[in-house]
Amino acid sequence: MRFNKNDTNSALRTALTITICMLIGKLSNFDSPVYFALYPTILMTKGRQFSWSGIYAMFLPTFLAASAALIVSNLFYDHPFIIWTISLFFFDFMRRRANTPAKLNQLLMPTFNWILIIIFSHHTNMNMPMRIHEILLAMMITAVVAKTTIWLLPVTQKKQPITPMPTFDISYKHRFITLTLLGISVGFLMIIDLISATFCLVPVIAAATQMNRANYIKTIKLRFITQVSGCMIAIIFSVAMIGHQDIISYYSVILGGLIFVLALMMSTSKGIERDIHADAILATVLPIQLYIGSNALNFSSTLLRGWELAVTLGILYLIHLLRLTKRA
């Protein structure tokens, strides 16, 4: 594996942006510091346009979805079935619009944030308007930090010829599969108070919106590798932090070094390998930001997250096997 200056700069940009945002989320005592890991990771691993307009266009649908979910949750707080029904209309609206690879990737964050607000409004006593406020702050801080690191380490990419983006034909079957998988998942989480499992819906959304069976299976396998191994990496990180988790300098160096290694592997890879490393970064930083505090390492929470992800992906794979059996 060879490292050139562009790869190193790309990894440094990613590591600096994610680490700085995560530290801001931790040190500022936000109620929901996880957004300060989620948004910078998504931006630096999935983003292609780092102009102000490009970042704005990437974050705006997510913010609008979260805000709309809050309004729906407040208006129909005593009628969860209505909230669930409106959620189905939202999922169908998003699925019908995702008729290109770019739109398919852009579907994930708005859909997940809608679900996040719905479930947390239903099962917790959190101040949800303040949560929306923190989402907006996380997006703004992420944009400023990202633009600063890009200014320090400029992006130098060769201009590639623009190729026409393929358009998908979204059939009723695609919409039915998406609504079935997401509807059952959200309905289950609205009935069962299992807040920790909410983040397991990220791979469910990714799998439910695939265009064919082959991509469905590939997505499940890829997410199993990245999501579960990400939790294991977070456990190793927690072990390295034992007795030192309240030392900010130590925490920053270890965290930044870990993200830099993963980002360097991502920047030197292409195709499916790049996707694996990108998803592994997200799967690693989320449990670190969620569970590691100055007074606790929460090994059990990270292990529980890994177990819930494994079970969720196992159920998705079982659905595939049942459909094969039915066909046979």
Side-chain angles (χ1 to χ4, degrees):
M1 184 182 297
R2 294 182 178 180
F3 306 120
N4 57 45
K5 184 179 179 180
N6 287 339
D7 294 335
T8 304
N9 284 350
S10 176
L12 281 172
R13 283 193 301 269
T14 301
L16 283 173
T17 301
I18 297 173
T19 303
I20 292 172
C21 289
M22 289 178 68
L23 287 173
I24 292 173
K26 288 279 191 182
L27 298 176
S28 301
N29 293 319
F30 287 105
D31 292 333
S32 306
V34 67
Y35 294 116
F36 290 84
L38 179 63
Y39 295 140
T41 305
I42 292 295
L43 176 62
M44 300 309 291
T45 60
K46 303 294 185 182
R48 294 294 179 267
Q49 295 292 330
F50 295 106
S51 62
W52 287 112
S53 59
I55 297 174
Y56 174 82
M58 184 176 185
F59 282 153
L60 181 62
T62 299
F63 180 74
L64 292 178
S67 301
L70 176 62
I71 294 172
V72 170
S73 297
N74 287 340
L75 286 177
F76 304 104
Y77 182 80
D78 295 322
H79 305 281
F81 181 75
I82 296 178
I83 296 175
W84 180 77
T85 303
I86 294 175
S87 296
L88 292 184
F89 280 105
F90 174 75
F91 300 151
D92 186 56
F93 169 75
M94 295 299 293
R95 187 67 186 95
R96 283 187 286 111
R97 291 183 67 255
N99 60 351
T100 66
K103 291 180 179 179
L104 197 59
N105 290 330
Q106 294 166 2
L107 171 150
L108 179 62
M109 286 307 296
T111 304
F112 175 64
N113 276 265
W114 174 284
I115 295 172
L116 208 61
I117 296 298
I118 292 295
I119 300 302
F120 275 76
S121 297
H122 189 69
H123 285 302
T124 70
N125 295 319
M126 290 182 176
N127 186 338
M128 299 311 292
M130 182 56 66
R131 196 177 184 95
I132 298 295
H133 177 249
E134 291 186 2
I135 287 175
L136 180 59
L137 274 179
M139 290 178 174
M140 294 172 62
I141 291 173
T142 294
V144 171
V145 173
K147 290 295 290 185
T148 302
T149 58
I150 291 170
W151 174 71
L152 292 172
L153 301 163
V155 178
T156 54
Q157 294 179 341
K158 295 180 180 179
K159 290 186 177 180
Q160 298 179 349
I162 299 175
T163 56
M165 188 172 290
T167 302
F168 304 136
D169 181 20
I170 308 300
S171 66
Y172 286 105
K173 180 180 179 181
H174 293 130
R175 294 164 61 187
F176 175 76
I177 292 173
T178 300
L179 288 180
T180 300
L181 290 177
L182 294 185
I184 292 174
S185 300
V186 173
F188 175 80
L189 290 178
M190 291 182 71
I191 295 171
I192 306 298
D193 188 357
L194 195 62
I195 293 294
S196 60
T198 307
F199 285 89
C200 295
L201 289 193
V202 173
V204 175
I205 297 170
T209 54
Q210 295 305 312
M211 295 302 300
N212 53 58
R213 187 186 300 270
N215 287 342
Y216 175 86
I217 292 300
K218 184 169 70 174
T219 300
I220 292 174
K221 291 179 178 179
L222 185 150
R223 296 284 174 163
F224 186 88
I225 293 171
T226 58
Q227 296 289 318
V228 178
S229 63
C231 290
M232 297 305 103
I233 295 173
I235 288 289
I236 296 172
F237 176 85
S238 301
V239 171
M241 293 302 301
I242 291 177
H244 302 89
Q245 63 267 25
D246 56 345
I247 304 175
I248 297 302
S249 57
Y250 182 79
Y251 177 86
S252 303
V253 171
I254 300 300
L255 177 63
L258 172 62
I259 298 174
F260 175 74
V261 170
L262 294 174
L264 192 59
M265 295 171 68
M266 180 189 74
S267 62
T268 55
S269 303
K270 294 182 180 179
I272 188 68
E273 290 186 4
R274 182 182 176 86
D275 293 337
I276 289 175
H277 295 311
D279 200 51
I281 296 175
L282 181 62
T284 301
V285 299
L286 287 185
I288 289 175
Q289 190 78 344
L290 279 168
Y291 305 128
I292 296 180
S294 58
N295 298 317
L297 293 174
N298 291 321
F299 290 107
S300 59
S301 297
T302 306
L303 288 171
L304 176 61
R305 174 182 169 84
W307 168 250
E308 289 172 343
L309 284 164
V311 171
T312 300
L313 291 165
I315 291 173
L316 291 175
Y317 188 72
L318 180 62
I319 292 172
H320 163 69
L321 293 180
L322 292 175
R323 290 181 66 193
L324 284 182
T325 304
K326 186 176 180 181
R327 276 188 162 190

